[in-house]
Amino acid sequence: MSFWTPYTIDGEPIDSFAGGLSDRPIVIEHVGTSGGVQIDFTPLGARRCLGVPMDELTNRVIALEEVFGPAASLLVERLYDARGWPERFALLDAALLRRLEIGPEPAPEVAWSFQRLVAAEGRLAIGALADEVGWSRRHLAARWRRDVGLAPKAVARILRFERAVRLISRDDGGRLAEIAYDCGYADQSHLNRDFRAMAGTTPGEHLRGPEVTFVQDEAVARV
């Protein structure tokens, strides 16, 4: 979720937006300067705060008004007019806490199985996960799509990929096969396939790619 940044959706300018989980590459281009706040929720936190089924936001970016209603424009205006970052963070804390208090609670089975899969960094059999909560794989997948945005198998794939990216970023390219195995891939070719699918590049190209630096004014908050 971001605020007062000059982007467009389907050609229409927006100053705030929200998005869900994505399992494909996203290319963002921006010319000039911008200011704003980016808030990174966990999927379960986003479900509570945004208040919509998360599969409605999968691989999508929408105007914040579509989930917050008219309150979105007022919040953006107050953030823009605030006298510095401490005041902005206080405004955000108050607004998000109100949303979290009234937002829908994810199913306990989804919350528990999500934490299990995250702790295992995606290296957990989905059938075993369904057995642990006493649901069928089909029912587990349906409830995950509503509360998380993607089925457990797709989320496990993202988690394995994220772990691979972290390990590869600290490597010189000589351990790609070992990293692939450690992250739960059958072999390096399967790792390369997931890189292409989710990052639009290969592990080697990732290592040779330019470093992107984000300048933060004060702090980054995770909910």
Side-chain angles (χ1 to χ4, degrees):
M1 185 165 60
S2 186
F3 299 94
W4 81 79
T5 304
Y7 291 107
T8 62
I9 296 179
D10 297 329
E12 294 295 324
I14 59 170
D15 56 14
S16 59
F17 58 88
L21 284 179
S22 177
D23 59 358
R24 63 188 63 168
I26 296 176
V27 178
I28 299 175
E29 295 182 344
H30 181 71
V31 178
T33 60
S34 65
V37 180
Q38 177 176 314
I39 303 171
D40 295 328
F41 290 96
T42 65
L44 300 180
R47 170 72 169 130
R48 289 182 60 193
C49 186
L50 300 180
V52 298
M54 291 308 296
D55 54 357
E56 294 183 6
L57 299 180
T58 301
N59 291 314
R60 293 186 63 207
V61 173
I62 63 173
L64 192 62
E65 284 80 1
E66 293 189 39
V67 287
F68 273 21
S73 297
L74 177 60
L75 178 59
V76 170
E77 182 178 340
R78 294 181 68 191
L79 289 171
Y80 187 82
D81 292 336
R83 295 168 299 178
W85 287 106
E87 184 176 336
R88 289 191 179 101
F89 291 143
L91 287 169
L92 281 172
D93 286 345
L96 297 179
L97 286 173
R98 286 195 298 269
R99 297 285 305 188
L100 291 170
E101 287 175 356
I102 64 174
E105 286 282 353
E109 294 87 351
V110 173
W112 185 85
S113 55
F114 176 78
Q115 296 299 335
R116 283 272 288 135
L117 195 61
V118 169
E121 297 182 301
R123 296 167 296 174
L124 188 64
I126 305 305
L129 197 62
D131 290 341
E132 289 179 9
V133 298
W135 286 355
S136 68
R137 289 188 60 165
R138 183 187 297 271
H139 186 60
L140 183 69
R143 297 297 294 269
W144 266 60
R145 290 189 186 97
R146 186 190 69 178
D147 288 341
V148 177
L150 290 167
K153 184 177 181 180
V155 174
R157 186 185 182 199
I158 293 172
L159 291 169
R160 290 194 301 270
F161 171 75
E162 289 181 339
R163 173 177 169 80
V165 170
R166 290 195 300 270
L167 294 177
I168 289 170
S169 297
R170 300 195 295 263
D171 187 59
D172 60 2
R175 297 177 55 251
L176 290 180
E178 182 181 341
I179 289 173
Y181 179 77
D182 184 52
C183 294
Y185 293 97
D187 52 38
Q188 187 177 334
S189 65
H190 284 77
L191 173 63
N192 291 342
R193 181 193 64 190
D194 267 15
F195 253 86
R196 283 291 188 192
M198 287 191 278
T201 186
T202 67
E205 290 168 345
H206 172 75
L207 282 170
R208 296 190 298 271
E211 181 179 351
V212 178
T213 302
F214 292 91
V215 178
Q216 306 294 337
D217 286 280
E218 289 193 15
V220 175
R222 293 184 65 87
V223 177

